[in-house]
């Protein structure tokens, strides 16, 4: 009786054939699955990918102790922006999140009133320079600023007189009497008693990092809406008041 050696080429060919048969069966199943569930798989994969991206972005995005909004006809360049952040971090009373460093996020909006827009455009034309700001951009910045003021992300605003007037007309600004209940107002207080003029503070006079900004800006704290009563909102509101005091009450004894 002739016994076939399991290691002969014939035996190997049978094993290889059986292996290919199993692989073909899998590919057939895969082809059938793709035919019936292609779009379901693509849609699910898309949403899973988006979810992963959002989770990664949320986990890796910078965390700040406080956010400050700065809105005026002037946009700081990158060096000025960084220097001003460092200055505000110096004045921030605490490292609130305990991560070992004080961190401030400045959100900047470049917004012109109609008069400021006309003046800037006229000045640029007089100097044979191109005025880069167009009405559409200015309107978009204005809309973004208005939305930001409603979000509750920041309560400390440094704004032009034009934008300060908008916030005041909407009853959005906290009165200085609420920030100084003992009645002693800061020397730089505005006439209406709701903000301080940045240029009239020692903070501005003795810190060149702040002098890149227009000298007519007004610092104010927004009121916390009644429906914003969460602990998170209260924390942001209290931090804004603390930084406001650190700036407004800063004095240099000469």
């Amino acid at each position: 009786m002739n016994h076939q050696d399991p290691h002969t080429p014939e035996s190997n060919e049978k094993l290889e054939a059986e292996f290919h048969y199993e692989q073909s069966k899998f590919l057939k199943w895969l082809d059938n699955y793709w035919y019936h569930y292609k779009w379901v798989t693509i849609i699910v994969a898309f949403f899973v990918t988006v979810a992963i991206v959002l989770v990664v972005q949320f986990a890796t995005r910078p965390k700040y102790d406080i956010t400050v909004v700065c809105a005026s006809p002037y946009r700081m360049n990158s060096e000025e922006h960084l220097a001003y952040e460092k200055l505000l971090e110096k004045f921030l009373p605490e490292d609130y999140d305990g991560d070992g460093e004080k961190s401030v996020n400045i959100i900047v909006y470049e917004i012109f009133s109609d008069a400021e827009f006309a003046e800037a455009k006229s000045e640029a034309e007089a100097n044979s320079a191109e005025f880069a700001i167009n009405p559409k951009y200015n309107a978009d910045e204005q809309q973004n600023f208005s939305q930001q003021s409603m979000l509750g992300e920041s309560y400390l605003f440094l704004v032009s007189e034009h934008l300060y007037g908008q916030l005041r007309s909407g009853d959005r600004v906290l009165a200085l009497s609420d920030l100084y209940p003992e009645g002693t107002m800061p020397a730089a207080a505005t006439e209406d008693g709701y903000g301080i003029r940045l240029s009239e503070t020692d903070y501005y006079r003795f810190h060149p990092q702040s002098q890149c900004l227009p000298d007519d800006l007004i610092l104010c704290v927004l009121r916390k809406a009644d429906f914003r009563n969460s602990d998170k909102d209260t924390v942001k509101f209290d931090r804004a008041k603390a930084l406001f005091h650190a700036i407004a009450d800063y004095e240099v004894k000469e």
Side-chain angles (χ1 to χ4, degrees):
M1 184 175 182
N2 184 19
H3 294 284
Q4 178 69 41
D5 185 341
H7 299 293
T8 62
E10 182 181 353
S11 178
N12 285 339
E13 289 174 2
K14 290 181 178 179
L15 289 173
E16 187 177 351
E18 290 177 0
F19 172 76
H20 280 302
Y21 173 78
E22 293 298 328
Q23 187 181 42
S24 298
K25 187 176 181 180
F26 169 74
L27 291 175
K28 183 179 180 181
W29 173 86
L30 188 61
D31 184 61
N32 184 62
Y33 171 85
W34 186 249
Y35 177 79
H36 288 92
Y37 301 104
K38 177 175 68 174
W39 289 111
V40 173
T41 302
I42 291 173
I43 292 171
V44 170
F46 170 78
F47 283 106
V48 169
T49 301
V50 170
I52 291 173
V53 169
L54 291 176
V55 169
V56 170
Q57 288 180 341
F58 181 80
T60 58
R61 70 178 181 176
K63 295 181 179 179
Y64 300 98
D65 290 305
I66 190 171
T67 294
V68 177
V69 172
C70 181
S72 75
Y74 181 74
R75 179 180 291 277
M76 294 178 281
N77 62 38
S78 57
E79 289 185 4
E80 292 168 339
H81 191 115
L82 180 60
Y84 200 60
E85 276 187 354
K86 297 300 181 185
L87 176 61
L88 288 177
E89 288 166 359
K90 176 183 175 181
F91 274 77
L92 192 66
E94 297 180 42
D95 168 24
Y96 290 107
D97 60 14
D99 65 354
E101 60 181 4
K102 295 188 286 187
S103 56
V104 175
N105 179 35
I106 304 176
I107 299 177
V108 178
Y109 297 102
E110 185 179 11
I111 303 172
F112 293 79
S113 68
D114 291 342
E116 290 166 341
F117 189 92
E119 181 181 353
K121 185 176 180 181
S122 176
E123 183 177 338
E125 291 173 349
N127 295 321
S128 300
E130 181 181 355
F131 185 55
I133 305 301
N134 61 58
K136 174 67 165 57
Y137 172 82
N138 196 57
D140 288 344
E141 286 285 270
Q142 173 68 69
Q143 182 178 5
N144 293 336
F145 169 79
S146 299
Q147 290 175 347
Q148 181 64 238
S149 71
M150 302 292 291
L151 289 176
E153 181 65 25
S154 174
Y155 288 96
L156 189 61
F157 276 54
L158 181 59
V159 295
S160 65
E161 291 197 46
H162 165 65
L163 296 172
Y164 175 73
Q166 288 184 3
L167 295 172
R168 283 283 290 115
S169 64
D171 195 24
R172 304 298 318 287
V173 186
L174 187 70
L176 291 179
S177 58
D178 292 318
L179 290 163
Y180 296 88
E182 71 284 357
T184 304
M185 298 294 177
T190 55
E191 297 79 0
D192 61 3
Y194 281 82
I196 60 169
R197 296 190 179 278
L198 189 69
S199 62
E200 297 178 11
T201 63
D202 281 354
Y203 161 87
Y204 184 86
R205 296 188 190 103
F206 291 93
H207 292 91
Q209 305 95 311
S210 67
Q211 293 167 12
C212 64
L213 296 169
D215 60 9
D216 61 347
L217 298 192
I218 296 173
L219 185 69
C220 60
V221 177
L222 297 195
R223 293 173 56 249
K224 185 162 70 72
D226 293 337
F227 66 88
R228 295 195 179 279
N229 53 10
S230 68
D231 291 342
K232 186 176 180 181
D233 283 306
T234 299
V235 165
K236 291 178 181 178
F237 185 59
D238 289 343
R239 291 180 186 181
K241 291 189 292 184
L243 183 52
F244 179 92
H245 276 291
I247 294 172
D249 302 342
Y250 176 78
E251 291 185 9
V252 175
K253 303 296 183 182
E254 297 182 282

